[in-house]
Each structure stands twice: as structure tokens, then as C-alpha cells.
Amino acid sequence: MIKYIIGLAMVVGLAIAAWLYTLYDEIKQDIDVVINYTPKQSTQFFDKDGKLIANTFKEENREYVKYDDIPARIIEGLVAIEDTQFFEHHGVNPDAISRAIIKNIKAGTYMEGASTLTQQLIKMLVLNREKKLIRKVKEALLAIRLETVLTKEEILERYLNHVYFGHGYYGIKTAAKGYFNKDLYELTLKEIAILVGLPRAPSFYDPTKNLKISLARANQVITRLNTLGWINNEQFENSMKETPVIFNQTLTKNKAPYAVDYAISQLINDIPDILSGGYKVYLTIDLDAQEIAQEALKISYDDALKRDLDVRKGEKKPDDSYVKELNGALISIESATGKILALSGGVDYNQSVFNRAFQSKRQAGSAIKPFLYQVALNNGYNPASQLIDISRTYNYTVGGEQKKWQPKNYGGNFEGIVSLRDSLTQSRNLSTLNLVTDVGVPVVTNELKNYGFKDVQDNLSITLGSMSVSLIEFSEAYSIFSNNGTQVKPYIIEQIVNKSGESITIEPQTKVLQKPEQIYLMTSILNDVVTKGTGKSAQVAGIELAGKTGTTNDNVDAWFCGYSPSIQTIIWFGKDNN
């Protein structure tokens, strides 16, 4: 009988061993996910002075932290409440399993698990959360195997970076910044206790929703630490009394969303995981300048709406399309390098994420005139050259039908004779048309293309700025004036650092197109535009400014393109529906 029982036990044992081997053989490849751990990580954007502009992420907001940078107290708190014998067992804890089995048998249902931190990591990364025996067996097998491959420290590093802490925060570092606005080394014992108590039920213990419950859970952690002798009575008593300040926030904290969107658009093709690869992207943006730019746009927008409201007073059915469609955009660059210091693609990002700084192309209108006059200066004209400011009638044919075009100056008047300087200062259309006609349309169009303009028509419509440009493109073109004949390409990304610490630095791109003395003449005229011409509203006491206003037909678009000795700014206002 005894031999029979022993034989039966051996057969059953061999059968179980064979089953476990087969089961492990099916799942052993799954452990590679844990060993070669590559979590999604938030990418951070910084301004030129290293100030955080934004965190961007895809699905999981996570800032990774190495084990050596995790305070020992966090490790102690986690181990104390979740897996006291973590550093002694080999992946599973037989004592805890025995206790859990007894409790579950008594209860007649599954009430308590006995998962070690290693098993919990396996469950998070590899297996599902269903409460079935087969899943627990797989979990145990993989945990035992994992502990032969990774050190305890490596397991803890993966756990604390992967686990969900509620409120959209993945990983201990992200949670510390989210709930407490602190780095890990700044946390108090009570704050640590709140964090390590969260993974058990992150939504239930979320301190922004259930602070009392969260504090009660934290007190359990502190009590456990005291019971184990890992903190003294004074630390215990002080921590039990503490109620930390909790922040209810998201961690995107995007202080320059239009600028960040533009930066992402420049990176996404070459770095597809830019939103989730844990990069640090250093931008050329100056957050102070960005704030001023955004505020200036909003003030101008509000002023425009007020003027429109004053005009529409007394209307029985006021047309509010002006309010709905009006918007603006702005870009400021460092003239010598092309570094973008401020970029705004709209008045309010919360109302419209469409980025008018680079996604929209608008007609240049009379803002194109400095380029036309520069061509004339290059071809022998000078600021004192006499231009004919009289009306002309142009005959042309469309579809076999004869038509006439009779352009006018703003206000309808004409001077007869006007100097080149005064013609541009006053933005006179008729003298500009006659100038381009005399220089030659082919000569002017070729030069415009050389300055970087596309969509250039080989006819007199170029004098009205018929070509369409984005603010980025216009900014590059205008840099020939603000940078003394050397055109610079506007750029917003200065350096990219990947999670391994490898970096790429972006250098300015420049192209010499004119001699400085030729540009000096144009800057002198554009300075007159600001001091006594159409751009007088742009004057700032104590700063030498040059610039050009611009409008298109029926004031569909309004531009100002201006520069100081070091900074160039281009602004556009108009309706999104043209």
C-alpha cells in the first residue's frame, strides 16, 4: 500500500513537473519584455535658459528615474508595505502564499493574493490581471526565472518606473512632481508613504479625490515602517501628524503650445517616437518673450473686437462673424542667427490649435514692397530717385473678354512725382507699379524667387503681394534686411538629447544675398516708415526700429514686419475664412 502511494505520488509529481515545464516553455519568451524594458517616456521641452516649457507624452506620462537616484526611504516604504521579504526571497514568497491560501479557503473565495514585487512586475508587463490559478502559476514561474537574470535593484527600478500612481501619472518621479510639485529627494516621509501606498488601488487612494483615505493608507505604511524598526518613534509621530499639500494638476504644463507644436512638426518625421521616447528638447524660445508676444496678440485682438463692436452699434441683427473668424499670429527671431525667440500661431490655443505661424499661407500684400524696392536699388536706383506717381490703365484679356485694371493709391490721390524713399515710406501703389514696370517684371520676379518666395506670378500682380507666404517663410525672407544682407533660416530646436544622453545640436543656416551697404539704404527707408510713415504706431522710445506695414485687397490681411538692431518680428492679423 505504501509503495503504491509513493509510486502514485511520484507519477503525480512527474506529471506536475512535466506540466510546469511545458507551461514555462510556452511563456519563457515573455520575460524578455521585462528584461529589455523600454517604457514610454514623456519628452520634455525647455526654453533657451533651461526653463521647462512642456511635458509631452503619448498614452503614458512617465519621467524615468534610475535606481541610484531613488531615495532609500522610498525603497524601504515600498518594501515595508508590499513585500517585506523582497530582498530575501527568490521571486515568490512561500510563507505569504501559505497565509493567503488559508485565508481564501476560510472565506470560500479569492480575497488575498501573495504576490511579491517581482510577481507584480510580471503581472503588469506580461500577464493579465484575471484571478485564475493558471495565471498565478505562470506569474510564479516567470518571477523565479526573472530573479536569476535581473538583480533586486533592477527589478525595483522597473517596478517604480512602470507602476501607475493614479491621476495620469506613471512612475514614481512623475507622481512626485504631479502630486507634490517636488523632486524625489525633496519628499517628506509622509509624502513618500502616500506614494508607495498608491499602486495597490491608485484611483481609490488618489489624494486629489480621497485625501482622508489616502492619508489613512499612508499611516499604514508609516506604522509598518515603525513596527519593522526602520524609522524611530520621533519620525513616526511627526509623520503621522503631517498633512502634505496636494496639487491637482496635469503635468503637460505647456507654457508655449504653439511653439511646441511647431517644434514637434519639425521632429516627427525624423524621430517618430518624439512624444514617447523620453527626449529632452532644448528650444530657442525665450519664455519671457513668448509671454509678451502672446499677451500683445490678445490685447490687439481685444482692441480690434472693441472697434468692430463700436462700428456695429445700432445694427438690428449684428454680424458676429468678425469675432468668430478674426485671429492673428506672430514670430520673433534673433536676426543674426534665426533663432526663434517667440512664436504664436493664434490668439488662444484653447479655442483653436490651428497654427497660423506655419500651417497657414496668406498673401503678402504691400508688405512685399521692400523687396521690390531692393531690386530697384540693386539696379542703379537710389533713395532720391524720382518715381512717377500717376494712374495707369492696364488692358488684359480673360477668356477672350477684354478687361481693364485701374489701380489706385490708398486714399485715391496721387503725387505726380515722388522720391523712391517717400514712395516706400508712404506705401504708394501707383509709383510702385511704375517702378516695377520700369525695372522690368522678369527682373523683379527672378529676384523675388532668389529671396526665397514661391508662388510668384510673372506679371504686375507681384506689386500687390499676390504671392502666398507663411510667417516662417516671410520671416526668413525679411531677415535679409534685419541681418544686413545675410539671410537666416528661422529655427526653433537648438539641441535634442535622447534618454541615453546622446545629443544633437542644431547650427544656424545662413546665406549671403546682398552687400551690407545696399541693405543699409533699405533699413534707412524702413526706419522712416516707422518714424513718419505708415508704421508710426510701432515707435518705441529709445529703440531704433525699421519696418513695413502691409495689407491686401479689401484689408483681408494685415501685416507688420519690423526689426530692431538685434530682433525681427513679423505679425499677421486676418480672418481665418479669408
Side-chain angles (χ1 to χ4, degrees):
M1 187 64 178
I2 294 175
K3 290 182 179 180
Y4 176 76
I5 293 172
I6 292 173
L8 182 61
M10 290 178 64
V11 171
V12 171
L14 288 171
I16 292 173
W19 175 70
L20 290 174
Y21 179 82
T22 303
L23 187 61
Y24 174 70
D25 194 53
E26 291 175 4
I27 61 174
K28 63 182 179 182
Q29 300 302 323
D30 293 340
I31 207 167
D32 290 341
V33 175
V34 188
I35 296 169
N36 304 309
Y37 181 56
T38 53
K40 292 177 180 176
Q41 296 182 42
S42 302
T43 288
Q44 295 181 306
F45 290 82
F46 301 90
D47 86 337
K48 71 181 187 66
D49 296 320
K51 298 175 188 171
L52 181 65
I53 298 176
N55 291 306
T56 62
F57 56 91
K58 195 172 183 180
E59 296 172 10
E60 296 179 3
N61 184 1
R62 177 183 290 106
E63 190 175 347
Y64 198 88
V65 59
K66 295 286 188 181
Y67 180 84
D68 289 343
D69 296 322
I70 300 172
R73 189 65 80 191
I74 290 177
I75 303 298
E76 290 171 355
L78 176 67
V79 170
I81 198 67
E82 288 290 339
D83 186 0
T84 307
Q85 293 180 292
F86 174 74
F87 287 99
E88 284 75 50
H89 64 63
H90 300 287
V92 295
N93 186 340
D95 292 340
I97 292 172
S98 301
R99 289 194 301 270
I101 290 173
I102 293 170
K103 284 188 178 181
N104 291 337
I105 290 172
K106 286 181 178 179
T109 184
Y110 186 93
M111 287 188 63
E112 182 177 320
S115 295
T116 63
L117 286 170
T118 311
Q119 287 174 277
Q120 290 181 41
L121 181 62
I122 292 287
K123 182 166 57 179
M124 286 189 290
L125 287 172
V126 178
L127 304 174
N128 58 44
R129 291 180 172 272
E130 61 180 346
K131 296 176 179 178
K132 290 185 178 178
L133 178 61
I134 187 69
R135 198 267 297 162
K136 295 296 292 183
V137 173
K138 290 179 180 178
E139 186 182 284
L141 289 172
L142 291 176
I144 293 168
R145 172 57 181 157
L146 185 64
E147 295 237 1
T148 66
V149 180
L150 297 180
T151 65
K152 292 287 187 178
E153 290 76 14
E154 288 171 331
I155 291 169
L156 284 173
E157 180 179 315
R158 284 160 173 73
Y159 180 93
L160 283 168
N161 278 289
H162 190 81
V163 74
Y164 181 56
F165 285 87
H167 215 72
Y169 307 142
Y170 289 83
I172 189 78
K173 188 172 183 179
T174 312
K177 288 185 176 180
Y179 287 123
F180 306 115
N181 266 1
K182 291 183 178 181
D183 285 316
L184 295 177
Y185 64 87
E186 299 175 303
L187 296 173
T188 66
L189 179 57
K190 188 59 162 281
E191 290 165 343
I192 289 172
I194 288 175
L195 292 179
V196 299
L198 280 167
R200 177 67 62 88
S203 296
F204 182 67
Y205 293 125
D206 184 340
T208 66
K209 299 174 184 175
N210 305 307
L211 182 57
K212 287 185 178 180
I213 296 173
S214 181
L215 290 173
R217 172 69 171 163
N219 288 341
Q220 290 178 349
V221 176
I222 293 166
T223 301
R224 181 65 176 158
L225 283 167
N226 184 245
T227 300
L228 293 170
W230 294 357
I231 60 172
N232 59 38
N233 289 334
E234 183 181 355
Q235 292 170 315
F236 169 75
E237 290 170 6
N238 290 338
S239 296
M240 292 293 280
K241 295 173 187 175
E242 182 190 348
T243 301
V245 176
I246 307 295
F247 293 84
N248 188 354
Q249 61 185 342
T250 64
L251 283 187
T252 53
K253 293 184 178 178
N254 200 332
K255 298 172 184 174
Y258 286 115
V260 170
D261 282 359
Y262 177 60
I264 291 170
S265 77
Q266 299 298 292
L267 295 169
I268 195 71
N269 289 333
D270 295 325
I271 310 176
D273 68 335
I274 187 62
L275 296 178
S276 58
Y279 297 90
K280 293 187 185 300
V281 183
Y282 295 88
L283 303 184
T284 59
I285 290 293
D286 180 327
L287 270 180
D288 293 332
Q290 180 71 27
E291 185 178 338
I292 292 167
Q294 197 65 53
E295 183 181 356
L297 267 184
K298 184 65 167 65
I299 289 171
S300 297
Y301 172 80
D302 290 341
D303 286 347
L305 294 189
K306 185 176 182 299
R307 288 194 298 272
D308 178 63
L309 187 62
D310 291 341
V311 169
R312 293 191 288 110
K313 278 180 180 176
E315 292 181 7
K316 291 183 179 179
K317 291 184 178 179
D319 179 8
D320 65 350
S321 63
Y322 191 80
V323 178
K324 293 178 180 177
E325 297 294 341
L326 181 67
N327 225 299
L330 178 153
I331 176 173
S332 285
I333 68 168
E334 189 176 79
S335 303
T337 62
K339 292 179 180 180
I340 297 174
L341 302 176
L343 182 148
S344 178
V347 172
D348 186 345
Y349 190 83
N350 293 322
Q351 296 298 318
S352 171
V353 300
F354 181 64
N355 199 324
R356 296 155 191 84
F358 78 98
Q359 291 179 313
S360 175
K361 289 195 173 189
R362 306 292 294 224
Q363 286 195 347
S366 45
I368 199 67
K369 286 178 180 175
F371 297 94
L372 309 178
Y373 282 71
Q374 187 64 53
V375 176
L377 292 174
N378 296 343
N379 282 272
Y381 286 73
N382 65 66
S385 294
Q386 300 292 292
L387 306 183
I388 307 300
D389 187 47
I390 60 174
S391 181
R392 281 185 179 181
T393 298
Y394 298 88
N395 296 307
Y396 63 100
T397 304
V398 176
E401 182 182 350
Q402 287 287 326
K403 293 195 173 186
K404 291 182 179 181
W405 178 41
Q406 292 181 305
K408 297 178 181 179
N409 285 325
Y410 182 76
N413 64 340
F414 53 87
E415 296 285 340
I417 299 292
V418 64
S419 71
L420 182 145
R421 176 182 290 275
D422 288 343
S423 176
L424 181 54
T425 299
Q426 298 164 21
S427 196
R428 304 191 71 80
N429 293 330
L430 297 177
S431 50
T432 302
L433 277 163
N434 290 319
L435 174 65
V436 171
T437 301
D438 292 342
V439 172
V441 171
V443 173
V444 176
T445 54
N446 284 337
E447 281 300 294
L448 287 176
K449 291 173 185 176
N450 190 41
Y451 292 143
F453 291 101
K454 303 174 181 67
D455 186 32
V456 179
Q457 301 297 314
D458 291 325
N459 56 52
L460 278 173
S461 69
I462 57 174
T463 62
L464 304 179
S466 59
M467 67 289 295
S468 295
V469 291
S470 69
L471 263 75
I472 295 285
E473 293 168 339
F474 220 4
S475 192
E476 180 174 354
Y478 253 91
S479 68
I480 191 176
F481 303 127
S482 64
N483 196 33
N484 301 311
T486 299
Q487 204 171 71
V488 295
K489 189 175 184 64
Y491 69 102
I492 198 169
I493 298 156
E494 192 145 42
Q495 187 181 43
I496 308 160
V497 181
N498 66 19
K499 56 191 175 186
S500 300
E502 301 166 327
S503 66
I504 300 172
T505 302
I506 311 300
E507 299 294 336
Q509 296 182 44
T510 61
K511 183 168 58 175
V512 178
L513 294 180
Q514 299 281 182
K515 293 181 179 179
E517 51 266 31
Q518 285 291 87
I519 297 301
Y520 173 81
L521 295 176
M522 179 55 63
T523 294
S524 169
I525 299 171
L526 294 181
N527 178 247
D528 283 353
V529 172
V530 174
T531 57
K532 58 185 179 183
T534 57
K536 285 190 290 186
S537 297
Q539 292 182 70
V540 177
I543 301 178
E544 283 288 311
L545 295 176
K548 180 69 182 76
T549 56
T551 55
T552 57
N553 283 341
D554 301 320
N555 292 317
V556 169
D557 300 278
W559 297 88
F560 183 72
C561 309
Y563 54 97
S564 71
S566 58
I567 295 173
Q568 171 189 293
T569 298
I570 290 184
I571 304 154
W572 167 86
F573 265 94
K575 292 184 180 180
D576 284 336
N577 63 0
N578 278 298

